[in-house]
Amino acid sequence: MPVPIIIDCDPGHDDAIAIMLAAGDPSIDLLAITTVAGNQTVEKTTLNARRVCTVAGITGVPLAAGCTQPLVQPQLVADDVHGKSGLDGPQFAEPAVDVVPEHAVDLMYRILTRHPEPVTLVPTAPLTNVALLLTRYPDSAARIREIVLMGGSTERGNRTPAAEFNIYADPEAADIVFRSGVPITMCGLNVTHQALATPEVVARLEGLGTELGRTCAQLMTFYGSTYRRLWGFASPPLHDPVAVARVIDPAIVHCVDASVAVELHGHHTRGATVVDLHGYLGRPVNARVAVTLERELFWDRVIGAVDALGKRTT
Ligand code: BDR
Ligand code: CA
């Protein structure tokens, strides 16, 4: 049976592919797409989600806009990585998919309470919406099967030497989520940096021969240029789809159990995920932490999903 999920995102080049993977893979039942301020303002991330759904032919999946600001600190955008629009590169047509007139957090809660089985949340953005869901609707926790998120790292950061973007952009929200008691799987930079969209991957996307395949290749080309400029990467890491892949098939992303705490006060380390891989602190385990990606399995699923959606829209 396909796993029912809600993806909470801030598209974003890698979020765009994560949405396509969730919509195009038969192992997932995509119940909703919700957006949040992150890579860009929520107005832009929502417009981008509508653009992605339109180009990929994703219809009938409710899409709702969420929080405009982090819980405590001012918003931080990643326009240096994703461009002014948040999804620079391809030219998108006028979106034909609209949002539902409901806040993302209310939509999540409604789905969680009505769906016959517990639902998996897949956040690929700052955790503001998810933290608000858990605090505003405390009974939602029991309806969440697990939270499989992209964020943090067992190693160093990408926004500061210590912190990864999704956690750094709203550390208080991340702290609420990691202390919630809901089962959590954390797909951090240490594993997402194994998902490099190499020239071979881009050629496979182009080689699908569909408009969608070409759009994805253009997205990867823009994203690759910023990763080369900012971090000297030869190929860009496709962070967010790793979390979706873990839900599709746990054998694609290997995990270990650990306690994870979010640093809120460190002068130089705010937003870091402190992952106790060796159990030094004796704290209870609160997360599965992704450590190894089966690269071939991963890319086969991503390209298979883009292929399936692309054929439907051609
Ligand atoms: C995360 O930050 C965003 O820029 C990406 O979309 C991804 O979710 C990687 O640190
Ligand atoms: Ca993202």
Side-chain angles (χ1 to χ4, degrees):
M1 281 293 282
V3 182
I5 77 164
I6 298 172
I7 187 162
D8 185 54
C9 58
D10 61 343
H13 295 70
D14 51 339
D15 302 81
I17 308 286
I19 292 170
M20 292 179 211
L21 178 57
D25 194 286
S27 303
I28 297 278
D29 179 11
L30 182 58
L31 301 179
I33 300 166
T34 51
T35 58
V36 67
N39 285 323
Q40 261 299 351
T41 61
V42 77
E43 288 77 19
K44 289 186 181 178
T45 61
T46 305
L47 174 62
N48 291 340
R50 294 172 59 211
R51 287 174 164 153
V52 170
C53 288
T54 303
V55 72
I58 302 166
T59 53
V61 178
L63 164 60
C67 296
T68 56
Q69 291 287 328
L71 294 183
V72 175
Q73 68 186 22
Q75 194 198 350
L76 163 84
V77 295
D79 52 352
D80 52 346
V81 183
H82 299 276
K84 228 173 150 187
S85 72
L87 201 54
D88 279 11
Q91 288 292 321
F92 289 99
E94 188 60 29
V97 172
D98 219 339
V99 291
V100 296
E102 195 174 8
H103 191 280
V105 171
D106 296 326
L107 175 66
M108 282 178 176
Y109 182 63
R110 190 163 56 78
I111 291 174
L112 286 169
T113 48
R114 293 196 190 161
H115 200 74
E117 46 181 315
V119 172
T120 297
L121 300 187
V122 185
T124 62
L127 290 158
T128 322
N129 284 344
V130 182
L132 194 61
L133 171 75
L134 292 167
T135 45
R136 182 163 178 184
Y137 299 114
D139 57 321
S140 64
R143 304 291 309 154
I144 302 172
R145 179 161 134 178
E146 57 173 331
I147 297 173
V148 182
L149 63 91
M150 190 283 133
S153 181
T154 62
E155 296 160 6
R156 308 275 282 181
N158 62 358
R159 271 295 135 173
T160 73
E164 180 278 332
F165 177 81
N166 288 342
I167 307 297
Y168 187 65
D170 195 345
E172 280 73 18
D175 177 56
I176 289 170
V177 172
F178 276 98
R179 290 192 297 103
S180 67
V182 175
I184 291 175
T185 299
M186 172 183 129
C187 301
L189 298 177
N190 56 292
V191 72
T192 65
H193 282 182
Q194 298 168 40
L196 299 174
T198 60
E200 292 72 34
V201 168
V202 179
R204 279 178 78 184
L205 289 166
E206 258 164 1
L208 294 175
T210 60
E211 198 48 49
L212 187 61
R214 275 187 292 279
T215 302
C216 290
Q218 286 166 4
L219 284 170
M220 290 305 97
T221 303
F222 178 88
Y223 188 54
S225 70
T226 63
Y227 259 85
R228 218 169 11 256
R229 177 169 47 80
L230 296 173
W231 288 288
F233 275 50
S235 303
L238 208 55
H239 308 282
D240 296 336
V242 173
V244 179
R246 166 72 193 184
V247 179
I248 288 172
D249 180 359
I252 302 176
V253 184
H254 303 285
C255 295
V256 296
D257 288 347
S259 88
V260 178
V262 178
E263 176 57 71
L264 296 180
H265 307 293
H267 186 58
H268 301 289
T269 54
R270 181 168 154 81
T273 43
V274 180
V275 183
D276 192 4
L277 287 176
H278 304 288
Y280 297 122
L281 304 171
R283 290 194 184 132
V285 165
N286 63 339
R288 291 192 185 120
V289 177
V291 287
T292 312
L293 180 74
E294 296 291 344
R295 292 174 173 80
E296 279 187 31
L297 295 179
F298 173 76
W299 289 114
D300 285 351
R301 293 311 272 248
V302 170
I303 289 161
V306 174
D307 191 26
L309 292 172
K311 281 183 178 139
R312 269 190 241 160
T313 50
T314 308

